[in-house]
Amino acid sequence: MKKYTLPFIQSKSILPFVKLTSPEGKEIYALVDSGSESTLINKSFKKDYPGIIQSSTVIGKTKMTGFAGEKEMILLQAEAKVPMITDKGEASAIEFKGYVDDLTTLSSYVSKIYGVEWSFSILIGSDTLRSLKAKIDYSNNALVLFVSSKR
């Protein structure tokens, strides 16, 4: 396991955001939310970043109540391998499982309320933080994670 430190993006926001830069130069923004039990991947991720979603599986249906009332949703779980350039300048990847959802509304809300200038494609929940043995280091404004060196 290799230790990597991803600095939080400096902004007016108090929320911890990290930017993953792929070897091709694509920037993927992620909100780190230890209060969220599950990791969420924006449903447009597969189209926006081809090759990152490794597999997806329908795991059931649920009813969700929101602004527009109640609607039925298909629960889709995906396995993703997000490439990144680490703080040491090395190419690596974060592997995780997450639920596929439309994060557009949440991203817009966060942008409006907290003055964030970008939209995010991943909400990194406590499930991924535990699996990566990650630590949110508020004193150094960084996410510290451990990635398998078997790539």
Side-chain angles (χ1 to χ4, degrees), residues 1-122:
M1 299 286 264
K2 287 191 172 190
K3 175 183 171 184
Y4 295 114
T5 302
L6 300 175
F8 294 154
I9 298 169
Q10 298 302 311
S11 72
K12 300 174 216 164
S13 172
I14 59 170
L15 301 174
F17 283 93
V18 292
K19 177 174 67 173
L20 305 172
T21 304
S22 75
E24 298 83 28
K26 291 184 179 181
E27 294 178 343
I28 301 169
Y29 294 95
L31 170 60
V32 181
D33 184 2
S34 61
S36 176
E37 182 60 34
S38 301
T39 293
L40 300 175
I41 305 164
N42 198 357
K43 70 179 184 178
S44 67
F45 204 76
K46 193 169 188 171
K47 177 181 60 115
D48 295 342
Y49 306 100
I52 291 177
I53 301 287
Q54 304 293 299
S55 67
S56 57
T57 309
V58 175
I59 58 171
K61 292 183 180 181
T62 188
K63 288 191 178 180
M64 184 143 189
T65 305
F67 299 116
E70 190 174 88
K71 67 177 182 174
E72 189 172 89
M73 287 180 50
I74 294 175
L75 288 175
L76 187 66
Q77 189 173 43
E79 291 186 25
K81 187 173 182 179
V82 181
M84 67 173 186
I85 301 296
T86 69
D87 58 320
K88 297 174 176 138
E90 302 170 352
S92 189
I94 298 175
E95 295 180 26
F96 60 87
K97 289 182 181 177
Y99 294 101
V100 177
D101 199 358
D102 184 356
L103 296 179
T104 307
T105 303
L106 178 60
S107 189
S108 295
Y109 174 79
V110 167
S111 178
K112 181 178 178 182
I113 299 298
Y114 293 100
V116 177
E117 307 84 39
W118 53 85
S119 60
F120 56 92
S121 299
I122 305 170

